[in-house]
Each structure stands twice: as C-alpha cells, then as structure tokens.
Amino acid sequence: MLASGRGGQETKRLLLCVLLLAVWEAGSGQVHYSVLEETKHGTFVGRIAQDLGLELAELVPRLFRMASKGHGDLLEVNLQNGVLFVNSRIDREELCGRSAECGIHLEVIVDRPLQVFHVEVEVKDVNDNPPVFPATQKNLFISETRAPDSHFSLEGASDADIGANSLLTYKLIPNEYFSLEVPTNDDQVKPLQLVLKKPLDREVASELLLVLQATDGGKPELTGSTELHITVLDANDNAPMFDKAVHRVKLLENSRNGTLVIRLNASDLDEGSNSHILYSFANDVSSNTDTFFLIDSASGEIKVNGKIDFEETKLWKLQIEAVDKGHPPMFGHCTILVEILDINDNAPELLVTSLLLSVPEDATLGTVIALISVTDRDAGDNGQVICSLTPSVPFKLVSTFKNYYSLVLDSALDRESVSDYELVVTARDGGSPPLSATASVSVEVADVNDNAPAFAQPEYTVFVKENNPPGCHIFTVSARDADAQENALVSYSLVERRVGERALSSYVSVHAESGKVYALQPLDHEELELLQFQVSARDAGVPPLGSNVTLQVFVLDENDNAPALLPRPGAGGGGGALSELVSRSVGAGHVVAKVRAVDADSGYNAWLSFELQPAAGGARSPFRVALYTGEISTTRPLDEADPPRQRLLVLVKDHGEPALTATATVLLSLVESGQAPKASSRVLAGAAGAETALVDVNVYLIVAICAVSSLLVLTLLLYTALRCSAPPREGACAPGKPTLVCSSAVGSWSYSQQRRQRVCSGEGVPKTDLMAFSPSVPPCSNSGDSGDQQIFGNDCTVLTIQAQGVALYLVEIAVSRVGLNSQERPTQKRLHRAERYC
C-alpha cells in the first residue's frame, strides 16, 4: 500500500509538470512540432488543443480555425480530440528544396475572446530520393592510341536530399582497362575521372560497357547508376598543327564588322579525311567571344563581328581549336592575342564635390571651394586631360594630384557687387581631334556685415503745423543697407539730447522698424519754432554698423492766439475801457484816439484789422476806425446834437483761419474847446507828426518793396539754376518741386511745394500795405504718407526766408519812423524768428 501510494504521488507530479509545460508553451504564444516527410494521411503530429491550453468542448463554439500561407491543406486538426495530424503528402524537397531548415508555420485563431497562436511544424528529411545521374547512358569515344593513365571527365550524380542522405559514394564495376578516381570531400569542384589503366586494343575489344554506381548515406541506402558506353576508335595518330603556337595581332577599336583580324594556317600530316581541318573557337573560351569575333571554319579567317571597345577589353585572348576529320578526330590548339589600339572616342568626365555651399565674402585667399576630379577612359595622349576655368572670375584651379584639382579663392569677394558665380570647368584631352567636357559649379557668396545703413541725404527739413495731435506722424526716415538678411535689417532710434529743460524723447519718437517719426505731444510755435535732432540707423549684423541723419523740424504757426489789447501809453495796466476827451470843435478826419493790439501768432495769423461795431439802435456814429492802424477819427464835424458821451465798440480781428477776435471799448467825452486844451494840443501834435511820418513811411515802403522784389527774383533765378544743374530724381516727364504762389489783400509770398503752379486768391480789396509772413503747410496727417510731409530744398528755403527777414526789417524801420513803441511793434518777434531761420 505504501509503494502504491508513493507511485500515485509520482504520477501526479509528472502530470503536473506536463500540465505546467503545456501552460507555459501556450502562454509563450508558440508551439513547436516535428514530422517526417512522406508520412501517411492521418499521421499524428501533436495534441495542439491541449498544448495551447484550450478545452476540447470550446473548440467549436470559439470557432477554432487554422491558417497557413500556401500550405493550408498539409495539416489538419480534429476538432473532436484536438489532435493535429497529416492531411496530405508532405514532400520536403518540394516544400523547401535543399534548404537545411524546413518548417510549416501555422496560425491558430479562436474567438470569444479572439486569440492567435503560432505553431511551428518542422519537416524532417527522410532518404526518399536516390542519386540521379544527368543521363542514363554516357557515350565515350577513346582512341586505341591513348596512353595509359589518360583521364576522362565524367559528370557525377545529384541527390535531392540533405545532410547525410545526400552524401554520395561512387564505384565502378571492375574491369581491366579503367579505374575510377573520386575527388575527396575537400575538393568537390573536381569532376569524376575515368582513368585508363592499360592501352586499348580495338581488335580485342571495340566496345566496352561499364556501370557507374552512386550510393547515398541514408538509411536505408539508395543507389543510382549510369552506363558508360566506350567505343574504341581506330588510330588517327597525327593532330593538326599551327605554324605558331601564339599569334599576336593589333586591332583598332571601333573597327567595322567584317574587318579581317588574322588568317590561320594549320596542317595535318595525315591523309584523306584525317587531314581535312576545321577551325573553331575552343569550348573553354569565354562565351561572349562569338559576339565580337567570327571564325570561318574552312579558311581559318577571323573577322570582327561586334563593337570592339578598348575601354572594355584591352587585350583579347582567343583559343583556337583545329580538328581533323579523322576517327577519332585529332585536335590542335593555338592562342591569338589581339591587342586593341585606342582611339580618342571618349570625352573626359568631370566629378565636382562641393565643400562649401556658400563662401563668405571676407573669406581668405586660398580657401578651397570644391574638389574636382577628371577621368578619361582613353589611354596615352587621348587620356591626358587639361582643366581650365571660366576667365575673369576670382577663383582658380590648383592641381593637387594627377587629374585632381582644387577650386580655390584667388581674389577678394564682394557680395554687394556679385552675389553668386556660375563657374564652368572645362576638361580637354590631348587626342586628335581633342574632346572636351564641361561642368558647372555654382558658388554663392555669403554676406558679412561690411556695409553700414545709408540715408539718401544727410539732412532733411520737415515742416509741421503747431497744435498737432499727440502721436502724429510727421516724417519717415529710410536707410538702405547693401548687405543681406539680418545684416540688412535696419532699426532706428533717436540720438538723445536735451531740448531746453526737457529730453528730446519727450517731444518725438521713432519707430524702430519702419523709421516713422512721431510727435509725442502738441508742438507750440510760440514756444519752439525749430526742433533739430538726429536719428540713428543700426543694422543687426555682428558687430552692428550704423549712421545718423539730421532732421530739422520747423513748427509752423496756426491761428491759436486771439488779439490782445494794449493799454494806452502812460496808463498803468490794461484791460479797461479807453477814455478820451474830444473837443466839439474838431473837424472831419481828426484823430481822437487809437486802439492798440498785438497777436502772439505770426504771418497772416498776426495781421490785425479793426472794425467799428454799429451803435445800438442803428444810429450813425460820427466816428470811424482805420482798418489796419486802429486810429479813431471823426467822419464829420461834431455839433451840439451829438451826445456828450460816446461809447464805441471796436472789433479787433486777425486774418487766421478761422479768425480770432477781441473787442475794445472806447469812451469818448465831447467837451467844449476850452475844456480840453491838452487833448487838443496833443491831438494836433499827433496829426502833425503823422503827416511828417507818412512821407517817411512811403519812402521806406518803396525801398522795402524794391528790395523784396529783387530778392525774390534772385531767389527764383538761383532756384531755377539749382533745379537745372541737379540730376533728375524721377523720369524726364515727372513733376518736380513746384512753386506755390499765393496773393492776398496785402501782398504775396511763395514756397516750394510742387513743380506746377497754383494761384490762391485772397478776399477783399487789395491794399498798398506791405505785410510779410511765414509759409504754412497742410494740416498734419496720421496717414504716414511721405507725400503729406512738406519738405523744402535747403537753399531755396533759406533764400526765401532771408528775403522775408529783410522785408520784415524794412517794415520795422518804417513802423518805427511812425513813432510806435516796442509794445506796438509785434513784428519784432517775427523778425528775430526769421533771422534765426536764416
């Protein structure tokens, strides 16, 4: 009982091990089996369901199926017991040929859930193929004159099996004339040799029948055999003989078909058919010999039959065989060495290897750009090649070795002059006629930062109206950099400085990329008439390069200041009504008072006119005010009917657009002649002085008009000369800088704007008064368009401003002669501005 219990435990352990092995194989995903080829249908291969860990009951529900690419019908599975068995004949030689390893790969697929298993079935070889000879019978013709120990090659047998099943041994049925020489396993390339042991005697045996048998190394052994039918021939004991064993011939390549190479001559000492010779190429000659040469079997002439190319074959070695018609035939051999002579039929070939995709323009002389190799398949002078390069380029070819050249830098490069070069390398051989070939080499010159940004001109003059909106675009600077890529990427910045007590950057800014200059705050003509600063342009190269340009921004006046009334001389302070005593005895045209006013603006904006407001109720006033002087005078003699107190409202208005005004109140008290002696004497003195000053004013006005006219003509002549001498900036028909001429009620002024002329007429009756004023430009625009910016030529602008300054100076003299004090001469400030502009 104890022994049986131990045996049961050992059985359980064995079953557990087998089960664990099967589970491991199923988990690994691949099962291996082996089967012998040629086994019968139904032969057991393996329990595939059990080995894959599948229950027999679930094979059908889970759609157990098996697939094998190209070998689906060789093996099958019994779904009842899960056994893999042979379904049809398995031939290893048909399945795998002579491959050392042979197997059938199966894919087992089950559903619910989907699982794929890989099964490898190894097909083992059995010795089912006997040795097979190429032919069942081999005919040999051997002359009776052959000497003993002569060897005759035989073809061996082959076995489709592998391994030991394919190892063959040979044996020859013993006879007294021949023996078999079998090569060793280390020398399988040698054929079987039939060896003649003793001389043959046709009269004793004219034919011999031998059996050559081959046996493989399988178990059981299989054999194959072939019959050797040997015919003993009568003696033809003289073989054909050539006059030379070796013939040397020279032949030009590319010779035409049919060209005679050599005529052979062989002789045979035999007679009859034994001396009749036929010529042919030997069987051991290369198979392509017939492609290039043709031999006449009767005459022995060898002719060209194909293209003879020196570059393909420089020397042909032809083995010629001469055979007679004896029985057995006798053979003679000779060798023909055909030397092919080269002709110049191949052009040189160039190979360019670029080392640098681009060459920096500051590369040092001798920098290697590319390597060039040249070959010519011809020989001698036909293969001697000389290389040359495109002329007039900063490169040269340097020979480094036979038929090897280096393309090197020979002189300095400048990318801004030439950015790339298309070089042509020419190779010419020494043949006659010479042949040549060319190759193109593209050399791109890489940019270095050797050019600073450059402005079109060193200085620009810009006119901007005051009270511009903050952030207004007033000008655009543009600098061009002749370099490329980041070296040509220009950024702009202000050259910081102090403008009075404030920094320049509080007035203007410049966009770093576009170069647009913006006014950061409204500009005031009365505070700042000229803003001069520099803009710097820097590129992005390493190191960066830069340059500066100067901008002169003239702030043009706008009518933003209303006229301011001045107090009467001698009166303290101002702002109250003007009171005067007027005698009733004064006559018509008598000056009784004068309204004084100034305007902080300039030009038209500071030109004041006076107008008496109509009295209340529409009553006609006996007084009037001079349009430009502000003098109040009588229109008629005063009488008793006039009210004793006259209240006059004088409207002071400038000529700006729109016009600004101020109102002065004048209180006149009418008294009898004895009550105002001082006033009368003062008025009489003023009238006398006015009459005297009027003569002087006329003289100075005439002088001022003549001076201004002369300077204006001189300015126009100089401007015309400069325009004619300067090179045209645009096309011949394009408009240049015009002159804008504007006439008003008091005179004319001009500035350069476009080449065509435009006339602007002011309103009102023309006067003889002389007024000088500064030019103005269209309002500031945020469009950023450079066409909206008024930029004047420096020479013409200076001359025009100088003329205006002189005119202002002469007017100032004329006014001073009249007797006005400094408060009554607002043009003095404008005179200083004009002098600073000039």
Side-chain angles (χ1 to χ4, degrees), residues 715-761:
T715 300
L716 294 176
L717 291 176
L718 289 176
Y719 174 71
T720 304
L722 291 174
R723 290 288 296 179
C724 294
S725 62
R729 296 183 180 179
E730 298 178 339
C733 298
K737 292 183 178 179
T739 301
L740 177 61
V741 179
C742 294
S743 61
S744 69
V746 295
S748 64
W749 57 278
S750 64
Y751 67 92
S752 175
Q753 183 182 13
Q754 295 180 5
R755 187 166 187 174
R756 63 183 180 274
Q757 295 183 350
R758 297 170 53 194
V759 177
C760 303
S761 299

Side-chain angles (χ1 to χ4, degrees), residues 155-445:
E155 294 186 14
S158 60
D159 195 321
D161 295 322
I162 61 172
N165 297 332
S166 64
L167 295 178
L168 304 180
T169 57
Y170 297 89
K171 69 178 180 178
L172 187 66
I173 295 179
N175 65 83
E176 55 181 331
Y177 294 102
F178 295 94
S179 64
L180 188 65
E181 182 176 306
V182 180
T184 61
N185 292 335
D186 297 335
D187 197 8
Q188 292 290 334
V189 296
K190 290 185 177 181
L192 294 174
Q193 296 286 332
L194 187 65
V195 182
L196 181 63
K197 294 193 294 184
K198 68 176 184 178
L200 297 174
D201 188 357
R202 182 181 177 280
E203 286 70 27
V204 174
S206 61
E207 292 184 355
L208 297 175
L209 185 61
L210 305 179
V211 176
L212 178 60
Q213 186 177 29
T215 304
D216 60 24
K219 299 296 183 181
E221 296 178 346
L222 299 178
T223 61
S225 62
T226 182
E227 292 183 352
L228 302 178
H229 187 205
I230 300 174
T231 301
V232 181
L233 303 177
D234 193 15
N236 179 22
D237 53 357
N238 290 287
M241 295 188 64
F242 291 92
D243 51 357
K244 289 183 180 179
V246 177
H247 294 268
R248 298 182 181 275
V249 180
K250 292 183 179 181
L251 179 65
L252 286 174
E253 68 170 328
N254 297 336
S255 296
R256 293 183 299 176
N257 289 347
T259 301
L260 179 64
V261 178
I262 191 175
R263 180 179 289 107
L264 298 174
N265 184 25
S267 59
D268 194 319
L269 298 179
D270 293 327
E271 293 181 349
S273 60
N274 293 334
S275 64
H276 189 195
I277 300 174
L278 298 176
Y279 300 91
S280 64
F281 294 113
N283 293 331
D284 55 353
V285 175
S286 176
S287 59
N288 63 348
T289 301
D290 294 338
T291 307
F292 297 95
F293 298 98
L294 181 65
I295 187 171
D296 191 318
S297 60
S299 64
E301 292 181 348
I302 299 178
K303 297 181 180 180
V304 175
N305 190 42
K307 182 179 179 181
I308 305 300
D309 191 355
F310 171 83
E311 289 71 36
E312 295 292 336
T313 306
K314 297 177 176 58
L315 179 67
W316 285 91
K317 184 177 181 181
L318 307 180
Q319 298 289 344
I320 307 301
E321 184 177 76
V323 57
D324 58 22
K325 293 186 177 181
H327 294 282
M330 299 292 289
F331 297 89
H333 299 85
C334 77
T335 302
I336 301 176
L337 300 178
V338 182
E339 180 183 357
I340 307 301
L341 300 180
D342 182 50
I343 63 174
N344 193 26
D345 60 340
N346 290 280
E349 296 179 0
L350 287 166
L351 177 61
V352 179
T353 303
S354 296
L355 299 181
L356 297 177
L357 297 178
S358 60
V359 183
E361 58 180 322
D362 61 348
T364 57
L365 301 184
T367 300
V368 179
I369 311 300
L371 298 178
I372 301 172
S373 62
V374 57
T375 58
D376 194 314
R377 298 179 64 191
D378 294 323
D381 292 339
N382 298 330
Q384 296 295 324
V385 181
I386 299 176
C387 286
S388 60
L389 190 62
T390 305
S392 302
V393 293
F395 304 94
K396 65 178 180 179
L397 290 176
V398 177
S399 178
T400 57
F401 191 66
K402 181 181 179 181
N403 292 339
Y404 286 88
Y405 296 85
S406 294
L407 178 64
V408 300
L409 183 62
D410 188 40
S411 60
L413 299 174
D414 185 8
R415 190 204 66 83
E416 289 68 39
S417 299
V418 182
S419 60
D420 58 82
Y421 293 87
E422 289 294 335
L423 307 179
V424 178
V425 180
T426 303
R428 189 180 307 274
D429 60 25
S432 180
L435 300 178
S436 62
T438 60
S440 297
V441 181
S442 297
V443 180
E444 179 182 354
V445 182

Side-chain angles (χ1 to χ4, degrees), residues 581-584 669 671-682:
L581 296 177
V582 181
S583 175
R584 288 181 180 272
S669 299
V671 297
E672 298 299 327
S673 59
Q675 296 180 3
K678 294 182 179 181
S680 300
S681 62
R682 185 168 60 249

